[in-house]
């Protein structure tokens, strides 16, 4: 057992967990944050992606012990109250989701992509960058559209601030 | 219609919970005292269990119990069933081996459950599963069709000699023989339809609770049809009578057919929850999904087509071997027969068709319906045959198709189906225009000058959806009717709840079904909520598969709405002292035509429930139900064209453009329809160039993870160019046909036809991996050099 202290969606969390506990298990089983999903067992699908200190990481392959002291953001932590994050709004407006299972991971991954590329984002880059996120429903067409749409929305909102 | 009614691309009502991480999937649910199940599975393709020792596992920390196959048999839990009786051509019944939920004696595929550990946490259950000692005596196994039907092949089930489940046929053999006898040209072709793993992104899961005081079970499960699950679990598996079993399918993360079936894991969870007197949750991991979710496709076929001197089709002869895996899954028997061979006429006028289908047991995971189910196999066979014919007869592939299109409706094919309506020429024309067919030779030349090979491939598909007229499927052996139910409840304040037997696992019913209701009444869709997926709330219904929810599910809602509106009009007329015939419904109000008198829906609803002033003899309340049984299948059809470029050095294919023109009849929400097509196309393209379940010589599934099984990823597929032509379906009140499977049915033939066109070698099977394409490319080069 180990004690870890971290920040999850802005709240301080202290947990005593078995050494083998994965971050996704901490989030889902201990903290009840079930928006982060598990879609595979080989770190391939991206359904589990969260932000660790602002970077997209697969929480199914991260031991809780590795993130002691880190700042974690999950899908539940990106909207401001009722106001959706521009990426969330773009997924809804462009029909970027069907069953919704891959969606939290897609959104967390996509925010990181836009953060890294900013205005330089084009379709090829989005497709290449989403390589680690599998969706079985949408054929990616509307996911790509959503990410490109959000990129321009996020640029606007940064400009406005 | 209004801005949110039928035909409007409104954004989905259900999305907010998914994009904010508030979806509620089975594994998200926790209940007090919950235990976790982990299965011990066979590592062998075929073996006798000589002993199971559970004592060490039982002594492990946190273990509640360890249960075995023999115990489930001793407790008289029924064997898994196959719900569609298909007969061989000699009239004999299909030959089924027994499939207990956990194997007591013999295992027949890698991954088959033999025991289950119930423990306090999933990790502890998994640890203890390692300590269950199972001894096996390995038996020879057969993992491919050819191995299973070879003389002297290992026998899977004593009930099925030669591993043959059935030898079935459809159509008239004599008529086909005559057609071939007078043919000017005959085109023959052999092909494999590769085995696929559905891979819905949410793994299957079950949470079973037993309430001792009420002798009542609750099962939360990843199901496309919770009522059918309850029926089967109670009527055949003796888990509990229907009224003592509630089945809930909450948010479900994709299905594609794989979540239609009742699997051993949910049976075991229910049974175990009573045995250990605590709730039992099982959540599959991806490896288990690969090993135990019913696989799709897996056919080997020979096909021959006869043409007259004018290139008109005279006849079609097909012989298909279909792999069923080690056991007959719930609807498996119908897939390569009534869902496949009945579509072999495609969009063409074919006077005579004869098809034989031989169902074969192998030591592999059971095979059942996967998106399209039988219809993709029919389309792939026919459209590769047509392309081959065009090349052999040296005619334009588009023109050969057009020449043979069915142009008058209704059209009775020689294989049961009666097409009600369509305009195949219109979608082909639209597709040719969208791809700029006339400009293709120039594009091909340009690519050549850049060292690339360019090809164009067609696929003109038809499918039978809106499954299905109950009487018709009953006469073909189905164990259930395939109608749908709906109940419309207008609340006293005028908001509306629609209870539907359809189930949404990504299709967006909460939006589209609300659009139908809101549009008819002229109210916002926010006033309408759709209730589905819970047998305690919703009347019996048949669920969602076979692109049936719009054509069948919404038609039931339509019928219930008509009844609601009729009663509401009576109430409004009474309140307004007008004649019922003069009442029209507009913008949420009941108006007397030609006057300014009106009463709003909430006031009508309130009047219905206060019942202070209703017409004489009228019952209070405003709630109506309906069952809708379709009169025919619906027939979505379309033309797909794929333009592809192959790299000469590596054999890698890149899709330059993919054009899809579909006729789905009336579109309820075009945005959602396009999304369904995108997803289907990606699955069809995945089958064509990436995906394949591969068993090695010992019957191990070597592609049992996302590292080994190539799922389509964002950079494997292009953006799609989609458009529609429209003939309204005459068979249902909405004129809809269904759109869920089209992409998966039509896409793969277009892709392979394009690749073979590019490389100039027609001998190519799916998936057309760079390696396969590169080797296929060398053959014509060699021929040219010789
Ligand atoms: S669950 Fe983490 S990558 Fe699949
Ligand atoms: S929306 Fe279902 S897996 Fe992506």
């Amino acid at each position: 057992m180990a004690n870890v202290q971290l920040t999850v969606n802005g709240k301080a969390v202290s947990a005593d967990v078995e050494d083998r506990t994965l971050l996704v298990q901490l989030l889902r089983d201990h903290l009840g944050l079930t928006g982060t999903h598990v879609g595979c067992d080989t770190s391939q699908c991206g359904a589990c992606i969260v932000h660790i200190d602002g970077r997209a990481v697969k929480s199914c392959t991260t031991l809780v012990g590795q993130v002691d002291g880190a700042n974690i953001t999950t899908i539940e932590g990106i909207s401001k109250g009722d106001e959706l994050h521009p990426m969330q709004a773009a997924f809804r407006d462009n029909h970027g989701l069907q069953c919704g299972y891959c969606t939290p991971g897609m959104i967390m991954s996509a925010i990181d992509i836009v953060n890294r590329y900013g205005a330089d984002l084009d379709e090829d880059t989005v497709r290449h960058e989403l390589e680690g996120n599998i969706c079985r429903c949408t054929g990616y067409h509307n996911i790509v559209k959503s990410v490109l749409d959000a990129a321009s929305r996020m640029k606007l909102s940064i400009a406005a601030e | 219609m209004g801005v949110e009614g039928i035909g409007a691309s409104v954004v989905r009502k259900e999305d907010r919970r998914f994009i904010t991480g508030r979806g509620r999937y089975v594994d998200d649910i926790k209940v007090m005292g919950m235990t976790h199940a982990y299965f011990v599975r066979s590592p062998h393709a075929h073996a006798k269990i000589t002993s199971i020792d559970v004592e060490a596992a039982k002594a492990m920390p946190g273990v509640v119990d360890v249960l075995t196959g023999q115990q489930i048999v001793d407790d008289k839990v029924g064997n898994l069933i196959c719900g569609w009786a298909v007969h061989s051509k000699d009239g004999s019944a299909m030959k089924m081996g027994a499939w207990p939920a956990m194997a007591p004696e013999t295992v027949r595929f890698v991954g088959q459950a033999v025991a289950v550990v119930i423990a306090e946490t999933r990790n502890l259950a998994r640890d203890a599963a390692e300590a269950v000692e199972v001894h096996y005596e390995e038996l020879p196994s057969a993992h491919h069709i050819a191995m299973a039907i070879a003389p002297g092949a290992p026998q899977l089930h004593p009930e099925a000699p030669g591993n043959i489940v059935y030898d079935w046929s459809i159509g008239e053999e004599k008529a086909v023989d005559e057609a071939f006898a007078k043919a000017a040209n005959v085109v023959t072709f052999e092909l494999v339809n590769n085995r696929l793993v559905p891979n819905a992104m949410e793994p299957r899961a079950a949470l079973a609770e037993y309430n001792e005081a009420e002798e009542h079970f609750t099962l939360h499960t990843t199901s496309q049809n919770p009522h059918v699950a309850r029926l089967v679990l109670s009527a055949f598996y003796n888990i509990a009578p229907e009224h003592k079993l509630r089945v809930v399918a909450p948010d479900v993360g994709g299905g594609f057919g794989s979540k239609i079936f009742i699997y051993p894991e949910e049976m075991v969870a229910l049974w175990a929850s009573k045995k250990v007197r605590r709730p039992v949750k099982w959540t599959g991991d991806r490896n288990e999904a690969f090993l135990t979710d019913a696989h799709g496709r897996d056919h080997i076929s020979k096909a021959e087509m006869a043409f007259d001197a004018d290139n008109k089709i005279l006849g079609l002869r097909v012989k298909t071997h279909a792999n069923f895996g080690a056991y007959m899954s719930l609807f498996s028997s119908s897939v390569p027969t009534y869902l496949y061979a009945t579509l072999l006429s495609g969009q063409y006028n074919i006077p005579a068709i004869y098809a034989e289908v031989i169902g074969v047991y192998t030591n592999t995971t059971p095979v059942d319906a996967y998106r399209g189910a039988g219809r993709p196999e029919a389309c792939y066979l026919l459209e590769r045959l047509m392309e081959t014919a065009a090349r052999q007869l040296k005619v334009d592939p588009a023109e050969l198709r057009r020449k043979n299109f069915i142009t008058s409706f209704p059209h009775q094919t020689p294989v049961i189906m009666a097409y009600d309506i369509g305009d195949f020429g219109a979608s082909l024309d639209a597709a040719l225009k969208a791809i700029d067919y006339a400009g293709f030779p120039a594009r091909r030349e340009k690519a050549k000058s850049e060292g690339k090979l360019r090809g164009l491939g067609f696929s003109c598909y038809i499918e039978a959806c809106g499954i299905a007229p109950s009487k018709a499927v009953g006469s073909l052996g189905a164990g259930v009717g395939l109608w749908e139910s709906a109940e419309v409840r207008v609340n006293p304040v005028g908001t509306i709840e629609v209870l539907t037997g359809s189930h949404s696992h990504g299709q967006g019913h909460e939006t589209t079904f609300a659009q139908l209701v809101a549009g008819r009444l002229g109210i916002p869709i926010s006033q309408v909520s759709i209730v589905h997926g819970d047998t305690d709330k919703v009347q019996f219904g048949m669920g969602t598969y076979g692109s049936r929810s719009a054509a069948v599910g919404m038609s039931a809602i339509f019928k219930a709405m008509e009844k609601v509106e009729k009663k509401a009009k009576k109430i409004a007329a009474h309140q307004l002292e007008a004649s019922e015939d003069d009442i029209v419904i507009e913008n949420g109000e009941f108006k007397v035509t030609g006057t300014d008198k009106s009463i709003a829906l909430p006031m009508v609803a309130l009047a219905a429930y206060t019942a202070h002033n209703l017409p004489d003899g009228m019952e209070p309340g405003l709630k109506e139900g309906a069952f809708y049984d379709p009169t025919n299948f619906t027939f979505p059809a379309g033309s797909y064209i794929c333009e592809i470029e192959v790299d000469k050095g590596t054999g890698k294919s890149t899709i330059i453009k993919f054009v899809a023109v579909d006729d789905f009849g009336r579109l309820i929400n075009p945005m959602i329809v396009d999304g369904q097509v995108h997803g289907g196309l990606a699955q069809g393209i995945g089958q064509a160039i990436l995906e394949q379940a591969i068993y090695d010589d010992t019957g191990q599934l070597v592609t049992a993870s996302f590292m080994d099984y190539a799922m389509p990823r964002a950079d494997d597929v292009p953006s799609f160019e989609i458009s529609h032509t429209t003939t309204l379906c005459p068979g249902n009140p909405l004129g809809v046909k269904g759109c869920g499977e089209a992409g998966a049915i039509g896409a793969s033939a277009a892709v392979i036809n394009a690749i073979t066109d590019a490389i100039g070698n027609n001998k190519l099977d799916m998936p057309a991996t760079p390696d396969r394409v590169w080797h296929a490319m060398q053959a014509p080069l060699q021929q040219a050099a010789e």
Side-chain angles (χ1 to χ4, degrees), chain A residues 2-15 17 23 26 51-54 62-73:
Chain A
N3 177 269
V4 284
Q5 318 243 354
L6 57 171
T7 308
V8 179
N9 297 333
K11 286 196 197 103
V13 170
S14 168
V17 293
L23 178 57
L26 176 79
H51 290 177
I52 300 177
D53 296 327
T62 306
L63 290 164
V64 174
Q66 291 172 281
V67 291
D68 197 8
N71 200 337
I72 314 286
T73 308

Side-chain angles (χ1 to χ4, degrees), chain B residues 698-722:
Chain B
T698 61
Q700 296 292 332
L701 181 64
V702 291
T703 53
S705 81
F706 286 150
M707 316 238 318
D708 309 293
Y709 183 94
M711 290 282 280
R713 296 177 189 242
D715 53 3
D716 294 315
V717 289
S719 282
F720 306 106
E721 223 172 280
I722 291 179

Side-chain angles (χ1 to χ4, degrees), chain A residues 96-103 106 134-138 143, chain B residues 201 253-254 256:
Chain A
L97 62 147
Q98 290 181 25
C99 79
Y101 199 78
C102 71
T103 311
M106 284 284 177
I134 302 179
C135 173
R136 193 53 149 172
C137 297
T138 64
I143 290 179
Chain B
M201 289 313 296
F256 317 111

